[in-house]
Amino acid sequence: MASPPLPWLKPAFLVGGLSPLALMLLDFARGSLGANPIERVLNQTGMLALIVLVASLACTPLKLVTGWTWPPRVRKLLGLLGFGYALLHFLVYVGLDQGLRVGALLEDITKRPFITVGFLALVLLVPLAVTSTQGMVRRLGFPRWQRLHRLAYVAVSLGVVHFVWRVKQDVTEPLVYGGVLALLFALRLAEAVRKRRARAALSAT
Amino acid sequence: VPKAKRPRGPYDTDEAPTPYEDATTYNNFYEFGLDKGDPAENAHTLKPRPWTVVIDGEVARPQRVDLDTMQSWFPLEDRVYRMRCVEAWSMVIPWLGFPLAGLLRRVEPTSKAKYVAFTTLKDPAQMPGQRAHTLDWPYVEGLRLDEALHPLTMLAVGMYGKVLPNQNGAPLRLVVPWKYGFKGIKSIVRISLTEKEPPTTWNLANGREYGFFANVNPEVAHPRWSQATERRIGELRRRPTLPFNGYADQVASLYTGMDLRKYY
């Protein structure tokens, strides 16, 4: 079934996805980011990265469950937006929070598992962002491209671990993200099993 | 009300105090929520008067005392102290209070007294954060007796020349400026002298990250972040953290011969 073209779909998601950043910049300009603005920006960009990346992973399962065809059309946009927030989160940490002190940075990345997993999550997202174009899908071939992009689940899982280890005492909030992620993964897994069974049934006849 | 400039006391820092607005809207007080803006928003439910403090344990004169009475025993002093949070941010706060040593001497510790244990109010009606099991309530803290008797250690009833705001631990809180902020237990209802090291809340919650001593130490990293530097609230760049939060001259001798990496 052909879906309607929905020309406003991607612009709407782009504007919606960037509006928290615009609000943050506005708050920054007005000096209303609280007593510790760097910490605030660091926390908010991290949260946004996680939310938007989970949303990008929800696109395909949402289509499987509802039959809607529009979610996959914003998947790439959300993935890139989430990567952008993750990168901004990292740059705020390196530039504003740590003041570009390379020694302190290397110590953090190598000695503190909480930072290590966050950094690893970002690194894993890089090849996905680089290969997000149609040209790269063609160059890699779809099956290989698809295998590569399963890394998104690994990256976002590491992001959840990073969040769990960040929290001082109450891990309810990060575990909610972990739960949603597990649900999405289960839906993808169920779909893969269903497809394999269908193929097996087809070849048996 | 701005007060007349007073001479700098022997324990004061001459660093610029953190703006009152920041010191009263950004802090940890889990009894009122987990975010640092929560205490200012939610602490209006706390009723700081009338307030009774129980002093007991290894003392010759155990007693229950009304806070106004206790306060009348001691002249109030202004003390401008650095405050270093274990989360690597810091402030400069003018406290108003009296040395804990004066109170302890008044109740006459016995020869068995080696530690001082403190307890925060437990009342979920006044402290809604206690309805969640984020920590074992009530919050408890402790000091070795010599730390408690040190002239830097004070009980505060005010800050910035005003009555202590609820969110900052009204009506009575501990201030130990060479230790991480979580040692500064708030809204104290009980002070007990003990023979054994008392349990402390953050140490119970996560002993690997929070020790009993919790002396500010740039050389002992928190497992998740370095303690070598800190962000002074209001400043952009981090500054180096000083051993014992800059009070080493006054307090380092308390820990002679102790391995401060082991007893963090």
Side-chain angles (χ1 to χ4, degrees):
Chain A
M1 189 174 66
S3 63
L6 303 178
W8 47 265
L9 184 71
K10 285 182 189 177
F13 269 80
L14 186 64
V15 170
L18 287 175
S19 58
L21 181 63
L23 284 177
M24 226 182 315
L25 289 172
L26 201 66
D27 277 344
F28 177 77
R30 288 190 308 192
S32 54
L33 280 172
N36 197 345
I38 294 175
E39 181 197 50
R40 175 81 70 87
V41 171
L42 200 55
N43 288 343
Q44 287 192 0
T45 49
M47 284 305 302
L48 284 164
L50 194 57
I51 290 169
V52 177
L53 286 170
V54 169
S56 78
L57 291 177
C59 290
T60 306
L62 194 62
K63 182 194 162 208
L64 291 172
V65 171
T66 62
W68 299 336
T69 53
W70 63 264
R73 288 162 60 191
V74 293
R75 189 174 63 174
K76 178 169 116 182
L77 175 75
L78 289 173
L80 286 172
L81 200 60
F83 172 69
Y85 277 126
L87 189 62
L88 190 59
H89 178 64
F90 177 73
L91 292 176
V92 168
Y93 159 69
V94 173
L96 293 179
D97 187 47
Q98 296 295 322
L100 294 172
R101 291 168 311 130
V102 178
L105 197 70
L106 288 177
E107 191 187 299
D108 264 3
I109 291 174
T110 53
K111 280 196 187 163
R112 301 188 224 292
F114 146 63
I115 304 280
T116 314
V117 294
F119 182 69
L120 201 60
L122 179 72
V123 168
L124 288 181
L125 288 173
V126 172
L128 307 192
V130 169
T131 59
S132 65
T133 60
Q134 283 303 319
M136 285 307 283
V137 181
R138 241 175 286 128
R139 214 171 304 169
L140 287 168
F142 185 67
R144 216 174 342 152
W145 181 91
Q146 204 179 22
R147 270 203 301 279
L148 177 68
H149 278 249
R150 282 179 191 149
L151 270 182
Y153 272 95
V154 180
V156 180
S157 301
L158 291 174
V160 171
V161 173
H162 174 65
F163 190 14
V164 168
W165 283 347
R166 171 70 188 87
V167 168
K168 246 161 99 179
Q169 199 56 23
D170 184 5
V171 293
T172 318
E173 201 183 340
L175 289 184
V176 167
Y177 289 91
V180 171
L181 192 65
L183 178 71
L184 296 174
F185 188 65
L187 286 166
R188 297 297 301 258
L189 217 57
E191 173 66 4
V193 169
R194 192 190 62 77
K195 270 190 181 159
R196 182 174 299 181
R197 284 210 184 123
R199 266 201 306 275
L202 206 64
S203 57
T205 52
Chain B
V1 185
K3 303 207 326 184
K5 282 252 184 288
R6 64 186 173 84
R8 206 181 128 205
Y11 302 116
D12 286 334
T13 171
D14 55 3
E15 293 162 274
T18 299
Y20 180 79
E21 167 77 9
D22 288 345
T24 54
T25 58
Y26 183 86
N27 68 328
N28 287 307
F29 197 173
Y30 277 19
E31 283 81 345
F32 297 104
L34 303 184
D35 287 337
K36 277 181 270 291
D38 287 345
E41 211 164 289
N42 302 329
H44 56 88
T45 47
L46 177 71
K47 292 190 284 286
R49 287 290 190 289
W51 194 271
T52 310
V53 180
V54 172
I55 307 169
D56 62 359
E58 295 296 341
V59 291
R61 301 169 57 200
Q63 53 197 289
R64 291 170 63 91
V65 55
D66 176 75
L67 182 60
D68 290 325
T69 309
M70 185 197 286
Q71 225 174 286
S72 72
W73 295 340
F74 310 100
L76 292 188
E77 297 176 35
D78 282 299
R79 299 264 188 101
V80 187
Y81 283 166
R82 287 178 289 275
M83 204 289 296
R84 170 64 157 79
C85 179
V86 73
E87 297 168 347
W89 52 267
S90 63
M91 294 183 177
V92 173
I93 300 179
W95 299 105
L96 194 59
F98 50 88
L100 174 62
L103 179 67
L104 295 180
R105 292 209 171 94
R106 200 182 159 100
V107 296
E108 296 169 22
T110 69
S111 60
K112 281 190 185 165
K114 298 284 183 295
Y115 294 90
V116 184
F118 303 86
T119 310
T120 294
L121 174 72
K122 184 179 179 185
D123 180 0
Q126 291 189 62
M127 296 180 150
Q130 291 178 337
R131 290 189 194 123
H133 295 282
T134 36
L135 293 169
D136 274 337
W137 312 113
Y139 197 96
V140 288
E141 256 305 337
L143 295 172
R144 223 168 51 187
L145 186 59
D146 59 342
E147 298 174 322
L149 291 172
H150 193 279
L152 277 173
T153 304
M154 69 188 294
L155 287 172
V157 295
M159 59 197 275
Y160 296 79
K162 302 174 193 184
V163 169
L164 203 57
N166 285 0
Q167 62 268 32
N168 294 87
L172 183 72
R173 67 166 290 165
L174 181 68
V175 179
V176 196
W178 72 92
K179 292 177 180 282
Y180 291 120
F182 67 86
K183 292 298 284 185
I185 184 169
K186 305 185 182 88
S187 308
I188 297 168
V189 293
R190 185 171 175 191
I191 300 173
S192 299
L193 283 92
T194 63
E195 203 177 346
K196 295 212 174 82
E197 185 183 291
T200 59
T201 290
W202 277 104
N203 183 249
L204 290 174
N206 192 341
R208 209 172 62 88
E209 300 192 350
Y210 311 101
F212 173 80
F213 286 94
N215 293 318
V216 174
N217 189 343
E219 285 174 22
V220 176
H222 184 280
R224 289 178 283 156
W225 55 84
S226 162
Q227 296 289 26
T229 61
E230 68 198 53
R231 173 162 299 111
R232 177 68 51 84
I233 293 304
E235 292 179 358
L236 185 66
R237 293 185 69 82
R238 283 170 174 267
R239 51 165 73 206
T241 288
L242 302 173
F244 299 105
N245 200 22
Y247 298 96
D249 286 350
Q250 291 99 318
V251 302
S253 61
L254 295 175
Y255 309 99
T256 309
M258 264 177 74
D259 180 357
L260 295 176
R261 291 188 167 274
K262 189 175 169 205
Y263 298 100
Y264 55 92

